[in-house]
């Protein structure tokens, strides 16, 4: 019965390492988004629908090993929203901290709007890639990432990843309106994680999306966007309690 973890932006599967160390199961698979610390496949446009199609194909391969418990963070959580809206048959359960992407009133944060703007997005990432890791790490640390992890994360983005990020965000300007219609009464158990100190994702929007889908909601008071790094033991416990409830 695989547990499948899907990271977000600008991240790699290593994001999940601290949380995985606290999970009491040995069937965990951390997927790697195309272009994120790996090559971008030829012809891959890095749009939101292409990433969802990629995720569907990955789960179709993994489901042979047993029912899947799917967990997504940030854009990985957004892909979970879309997958369970259209291919819920591939999972036993699902969890996301981005249920707001299934809310028709979803609105992007200000940084996303920069990335969605031609020229401004490219300039942003050009500047970021030129920074020494220590400076990028300081920015992440100010957003709640533990210092040791922040320095590691600052080294993850490269030109391939940032090109994929820009393409992904520009494909998703109206994602809430496009996806909300299908994110309703999802027929398998779901969990919406709400990190209260997340500056990028709205707790109210995530709650609205969760209510549409019929998902359970768990508030993560005192935690932010990178909750799995801030308190991996707590994150693992929340997930394991949820999985126990659907077994």
């Amino acid at each position: 019965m695989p547990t499948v973890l899907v990271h977000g932006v600008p991240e790699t599967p290593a994001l999940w390492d601290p949380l995985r160390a606290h999970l009491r199961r040995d069937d965990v698979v951390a997927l790697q988004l195309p272009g994120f610390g790996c090559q971008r496949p030829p012809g891959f446009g890095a749009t939101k629908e292409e990433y969802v199609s990629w995720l569907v194909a990955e789960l179709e391969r993994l489901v042979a090993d047993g029912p899947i418990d799917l967990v997504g963070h940030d854009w990985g959580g957004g892909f979970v929203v879309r997958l369970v809206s259209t291919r819920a048959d591939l999972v036993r359960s699902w969890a996301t901290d981005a249920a707001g992407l299934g809310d028709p009133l979803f609105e992007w944060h200000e940084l996303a709007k920069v990335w969605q703007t031609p020229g401004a997005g490219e300039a942003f990432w050009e500047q970021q890639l030129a920074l020494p890791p220590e400076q990028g790490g300081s920015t992440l640390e100010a957003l709640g990432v533990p210092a040791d992890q922040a320095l590691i994360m600052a080294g993850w983005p490269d030109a391939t990843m940032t090109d994929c990020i820009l393409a992904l965000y520009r494909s998703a300007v109206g994602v809430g309106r496009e996806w909300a219609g299908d994110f309703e009464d999802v027929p398998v158990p779901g969990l919406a994680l709400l990190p209260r100190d997340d500056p990028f994702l709205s707790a109210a929007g995530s709650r609205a999306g969760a209510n549409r889908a019929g998902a359970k909601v768990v508030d993560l008071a005192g935690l932010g966007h990178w909750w799995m790094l801030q308190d991996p033991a707590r994150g693992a416990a929340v997930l394991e309690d949820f999985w126990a409830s659907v077994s």
Side-chain angles (χ1 to χ4, degrees):
M1 186 183 294
T3 296
V4 177
L5 308 175
V6 191
H7 68 84
V9 170
E11 300 159 0
T12 75
L15 174 84
W16 297 109
D17 288 352
L19 183 139
R20 292 180 69 173
H22 290 276
L23 291 175
R24 294 172 295 179
R25 53 195 301 175
D26 58 5
D27 60 352
V28 181
V29 177
L31 297 178
Q32 186 163 26
L33 299 179
F36 284 72
C38 60
Q39 291 187 342
R40 179 175 177 172
F44 187 77
T47 65
K48 67 184 191 304
E49 301 299 348
E50 285 172 292
Y51 277 112
V52 172
S53 295
W54 164 83
L55 182 57
V56 168
E58 291 294 308
L59 296 195
E60 287 177 335
R61 175 178 60 85
L62 291 167
V63 76
D65 296 327
I68 291 171
D69 293 319
L70 181 63
V71 181
H73 161 64
D74 186 78
W75 257 115
F79 303 145
V80 168
V81 164
R82 186 58 175 166
L83 183 137
V84 301
S85 300
T86 57
R87 290 297 310 274
D89 60 296
L90 289 173
V91 302
R92 180 188 82 125
S93 73
W94 55 277
T96 178
D97 60 12
L101 270 71
D103 175 16
L105 301 179
F106 176 80
E107 183 174 345
W108 283 111
H109 53 83
E110 293 306 310
L111 188 53
K113 293 177 182 177
V114 171
W115 296 343
Q116 289 166 342
T117 304
E122 283 80 0
F124 174 91
W125 283 114
E126 182 177 352
Q127 293 169 1
Q128 291 299 306
L129 293 178
L131 294 176
E134 293 78 10
Q135 188 171 344
S138 296
T139 299
L140 290 167
E141 189 175 353
L143 291 169
V145 179
D148 56 340
Q149 294 291 332
L151 185 60
I152 294 170
M153 285 182 64
W156 287 346
D158 59 17
T160 298
M161 181 188 291
T162 58
D163 284 350
C164 288
I165 290 171
L166 295 178
L168 173 57
Y169 274 89
R170 291 171 186 177
S171 75
V173 174
V175 64
R177 295 188 303 274
E178 294 174 26
W179 283 2
D182 296 319
F183 191 52
E184 191 169 13
D185 298 325
V186 176
V188 291
L191 174 67
L193 301 166
L194 274 62
R196 284 307 187 97
D197 296 338
D198 190 335
F200 302 115
L201 297 171
S202 162
S206 290
R207 191 177 296 275
N211 289 339
R212 290 178 60 87
K216 178 182 178 181
V217 175
V218 171
D219 286 314
L220 298 178
L223 298 182
H225 190 72
W226 287 285
W227 52 270
M228 73 297 296
L229 297 177
Q230 292 174 297
D231 195 340
R234 182 177 169 192
V238 167
L239 290 172
E240 289 185 330
D241 285 347
F242 170 60
W243 295 328
S245 75
V246 299
S247 61

